[in-house]
Amino acid sequence: MSYPGYPPQQPGGYPPQQGGYPPQAGTYPPNAAGYPPNTGGYPPQGSGYPPQAGGYLPPAGGYSPAQGGYPPQPSGYPSQVPGYAPQPGGYPAQSGVGGYPSMPAAGEDFVAMYSPLTAVLCLQPGGAPQGYPGGPAPGQSMPNYPAAPATNPSTPGYGSGVPSTPQAPAISVRLFKLPLFSFCTDEGAIIELLGSRTNKQRVPMVAAYKTTYGKDLIHDLKSELTGNFEKLVLAMLMTPAQFDAFELREAIKGAGTDEACLIEILASRSNAEIREINHVYKSEYGKSLEDAISSDTSGHFRRLLISLSQGNRDEKETVDISLAKQDAQKLYAAGENKVGTDESQFNAILCARSKPHLRAVFQEYQQMCGRDIEKSICREMSGHVEDGMVAVVKCIKHSPAYFAERLHKAMKGAGTKDRTLIRIMVSRSEVDMLDIRQEYVKTYGKSLYTDISSDTSGDYKKLLLKLCGGSD
């Protein structure tokens, strides 16, 4: 039967042409006998991709080309561009569990190997198996390549040095062993890794996490953690200036003002720290700290806070005793020695003079009127102005004693002032925590560690105790 436009068929059907299909003897594809190929045929020849140790040997000289057939290839399959160059003897063996890639043993912390970025990565037993993106699943052979012979267990898979199903420890993306893409949270690992690192080691993890995984670490933590433990963890991932600015913002925004927080931060920080807080506050919240204070406070209390927020206290270490006596006389004349109180005089001296100078002033004042400056302030002032002036005096005298008192008040009685507790423990943990602990046990007869243990619970307590550092 013939069709219009087609040449008539030859008798016997579609005859094989010279060099055509089916192939002649010795050409490519292989001779009749079907698949699998005869001995010495397919799989690929030596020096092909990839080489195999102990595999099948090709016939001497390779396959002979046939007329009109495929041209012979010098080394098996045509080279792939781009591709991996064949390695003599296979890929070199890798150290670690499973051979490829190099991994720490199960349960080992990546931080010991890499820092600070891979503090974000930790081993998670039972996680997703490793592999190439878009590659075959474990146990599935590469497409278009034959599987290793099943009858000879000693024969390695193609690639020689790499098992066909690598069994490296399973890993998932985790923050401090926190599986952000799974259904549980390893709070113990968070406590261990955050509590045993400095602020300079913790803070870079936020940027490193976003750079590596394209996700916001703070957002992921908020979705995984709750309550005071969440607040404490987030506070530990901020720089000191960021945390202070955040606390000041929280103290001012919304209905009501946390005056004690404003006083605590502005009365206890150095000039450099206050300037950095001003910079961060403006950058983060689009408004100067001074404007925020002015819009939320009033009267002499506002003037005190604005004076402290300038960060312009004299920093001279030398003391002029004659000037100290003059300042003591001015304070006495502005308070105890007159009807009413001139708060402006107290403000000018307490917010501008250097700390060594003010300690000398307080001694001269005690000798002059027989009363401690703190008690005089309490007699002459009231409300937030009194609290602010007293806080300045206490921080000038000995700031660890001031913070020990703040911590004790935060925990005594019914309920706990957790925001105060978190703020002081985080902000002072690398500054003067040992001194605070000593003042606490000296003043209240028991250790700060003991009071935190009895007043808090759970993971929140464990991480606070890490910041505390030990029992006295």
Side-chain angles (χ1 to χ4, degrees), residues 348-361:
I349 294 174
L350 294 180
C351 294
R353 303 297 196 214
S354 70
K355 291 183 178 181
H357 175 83
L358 286 174
R359 293 185 190 110
V361 169

Side-chain angles (χ1 to χ4, degrees), residues 49-50 78-87 91 145:
Y49 180 86
S79 61
Q80 305 296 320
V81 180
Y84 295 95
Q87 305 295 322
Y91 291 104
Y145 287 84

Side-chain angles (χ1 to χ4, degrees), residues 14 23 31 46 50 60 63 107 183 225 254 256 276 359 423 437:
Y14 194 93
N31 295 330
Y63 297 99
F183 298 99
L225 308 177
E276 182 64 17
R359 293 185 190 110
R423 181 173 60 250
R437 284 164 47 184

Side-chain angles (χ1 to χ4, degrees), residues 19 26-29 45 61-78:
T27 65
Y28 183 92
Q45 300 90 331
Y63 297 99
S64 60
Q67 183 177 357
Y70 290 102
Q73 302 301 323
S75 58
Y77 290 105

Side-chain angles (χ1 to χ4, degrees), residues 55-402:
Y56 298 95
L57 296 176
Y63 297 99
S64 60
Q67 183 177 357
Y70 290 102
Q73 302 301 323
S75 58
Y77 290 105
S79 61
Q80 305 296 320
V81 180
Y84 295 95
Q87 305 295 322
Y91 291 104
Q94 304 291 328
S95 60
V97 181
Y100 179 81
S102 178
M103 297 289 182
E108 186 179 4
D109 191 349
F110 264 43
V111 181
M113 301 175 62
Y114 309 99
S115 179
L117 168 59
T118 45
V120 177
L121 294 176
C122 294
L123 295 177
Q124 178 187 6
Q130 294 299 289
Y132 295 102
Q140 179 182 349
S141 61
M142 289 289 291
N144 302 324
Y145 287 84
T151 57
N152 186 1
S154 64
T155 304
Y158 295 103
S160 183
V162 184
S164 60
T165 307
Q167 296 298 322
I171 296 176
S172 71
V173 179
R174 293 161 46 128
L175 166 73
F176 326 124
K177 294 191 177 180
L178 165 63
L180 296 179
F181 305 116
S182 64
F183 298 99
C184 60
T185 304
D186 190 348
E187 287 88 352
I190 298 175
I191 293 166
E192 181 60 31
L193 287 163
L194 278 182
S196 59
R197 281 160 179 76
T198 65
N199 182 265
K200 287 185 178 180
Q201 291 172 321
R202 297 190 301 259
V203 170
M205 296 175 187
V206 178
Y209 186 90
K210 180 173 286 189
T211 300
T212 307
Y213 306 110
K215 291 173 65 69
D216 186 78
L217 177 57
I218 303 302
H219 177 271
D220 285 347
L221 284 169
K222 287 180 178 179
S223 69
E224 292 283 341
L225 308 177
T226 58
N228 290 320
F229 182 59
E230 174 195 337
K231 294 175 184 176
L232 179 55
V233 167
L234 297 180
M236 294 178 71
L237 290 171
M238 301 182 196
T239 66
Q242 285 175 333
F243 184 46
D244 282 343
F246 172 79
E247 287 293 293
L248 290 169
R249 168 73 170 172
E250 291 295 306
I252 292 172
K253 76 174 186 178
T257 304
D258 186 352
E259 289 85 3
C261 173
L262 300 178
I263 293 168
E264 176 194 303
I265 293 175
L266 295 176
S268 63
R269 304 307 192 249
S270 68
N271 284 349
E273 289 169 338
I274 290 175
R275 290 169 190 156
E276 182 64 17
I277 292 168
N278 274 286
H279 173 74
V280 172
Y281 196 98
K282 177 73 172 179
S283 175
E284 292 287 333
Y285 307 113
K287 185 178 184 180
S288 71
L289 177 59
E290 180 178 335
D291 289 343
I293 291 171
S294 297
S295 63
D296 211 61
T297 58
S298 60
H300 289 290
F301 181 57
R302 173 199 290 169
R303 295 172 63 182
L304 172 64
L305 294 180
I306 290 177
S307 294
L308 293 172
S309 70
Q310 302 309 300
N312 285 328
R313 182 183 296 280
D314 184 10
E315 293 181 327
K316 293 178 183 176
E317 293 296 325
T318 58
V319 176
D320 184 340
I321 297 300
S322 62
L323 181 58
K325 289 181 178 180
Q326 292 177 21
D327 284 344
Q329 291 171 350
K330 290 178 181 178
L331 292 175
Y332 180 67
E336 294 278 3
N337 199 35
K338 66 173 294 186
V339 177
T341 306
D342 184 359
E343 290 88 351
S344 297
Q345 191 66 261
F346 279 83
N347 194 97
I349 294 174
L350 294 180
C351 294
R353 303 297 196 214
S354 70
K355 291 183 178 181
H357 175 83
L358 286 174
R359 293 185 190 110
V361 169
F362 298 158
Q363 290 178 353
E364 294 295 328
Y365 187 93
Q366 175 84 32
Q367 295 174 1
M368 183 179 301
C369 67
R371 185 175 289 118
D372 185 83
I373 186 68
E374 288 181 42
K375 293 182 178 178
S376 290
I377 291 173
C378 293
R379 283 165 53 95
E380 296 295 322
M381 302 180 193
S382 61
H384 300 313
V385 178
E386 175 193 342
D387 295 337
M389 294 288 185
V390 169
V392 171
V393 170
K394 288 181 177 179
C395 288
I396 295 296
K397 287 182 175 179
H398 191 46
S399 59
Y402 168 72

